[in-house]
Amino acid sequence: MAFLHLFIINKSGGLIHNTRLSDRAPVISTNEFLRIGSTFHSLHAIASEASPIVRPPPPSAALPPSQGAPAASGRPLRRLPKDGIDFIDGGSVHLRCLQTPTGIKFVLTSEADSPNAEAALRDIYVLYSDYALKNPFYELDMPIRCELFNRGVEAMVQRYERISGSTVSAR
């Protein structure tokens, strides 16, 4: 089991973070990372629009008026995003995506036998919230340049590798 790459894409499709998580991961140049990030964002948007399933709106009674309560017409003021790409099975490689309510996409590639990819994505989201968003010098949608975040991701990858019994170290 090994996590291979992590991509974090902002709501407008810009790559704000990328890292190689394992020695088993192929080496990807910066331009290729940018290309992969923008291509995935575009495919995610197309899949979201083509999806026949729309997430149901939350109950209007539980939301304040500015958060989706019905307007005078009885329709919600806020549209919830449709589902996009959550998982791609590439045979020996899996790609998982976690999209936050603010539109940030956390994309993790892993070997096919990596059972904890979804949990790892949620943990990375928590690390992003704790280290990037709470950093007073970080600006939303800008590249993440936070050493604490990078170290947190490396420690999380090592923790999951110990759980699974793998000996590959995070890079």
Side-chain angles (χ1 to χ4, degrees), residues 23-107:
D23 292 335
R24 296 182 191 180
V27 177
I28 298 176
S29 72
T30 303
N31 285 338
E32 289 170 328
F33 270 120
L34 291 169
R35 192 174 318 124
I36 291 168
S38 63
T39 302
F40 181 79
H41 173 75
S42 299
L43 291 173
H44 191 279
I46 291 168
S48 176
E49 289 299 317
S51 175
I53 300 172
V54 179
R55 293 184 199 165
S60 60
L63 295 174
S66 65
Q67 293 293 317
S73 66
R75 293 177 27 207
L77 298 173
R78 175 180 62 145
R79 268 187 75 211
L80 292 175
K82 297 177 184 177
D83 291 327
I85 298 172
D86 293 331
F87 176 75
I88 296 176
D89 182 355
S92 62
V93 175
H94 288 170
L95 180 143
R96 290 203 180 271
C97 176
L98 170 70
Q99 182 175 4
T100 68
T102 58
I104 302 289
K105 292 173 202 66
F106 294 86
V107 181

Side-chain angles (χ1 to χ4, degrees), residues 8-17 100 102-105 128 132-133 138-144:
I8 303 177
I9 304 166
N10 67 18
K11 61 186 169 196
S12 59
L15 185 67
I16 60 173
H17 185 78
T100 68
T102 58
I104 302 289
K105 292 173 202 66
Y128 170 75
L133 294 181
Y138 177 68
E139 295 181 34
L140 285 177
D141 294 336
M142 296 303 292
I144 301 169

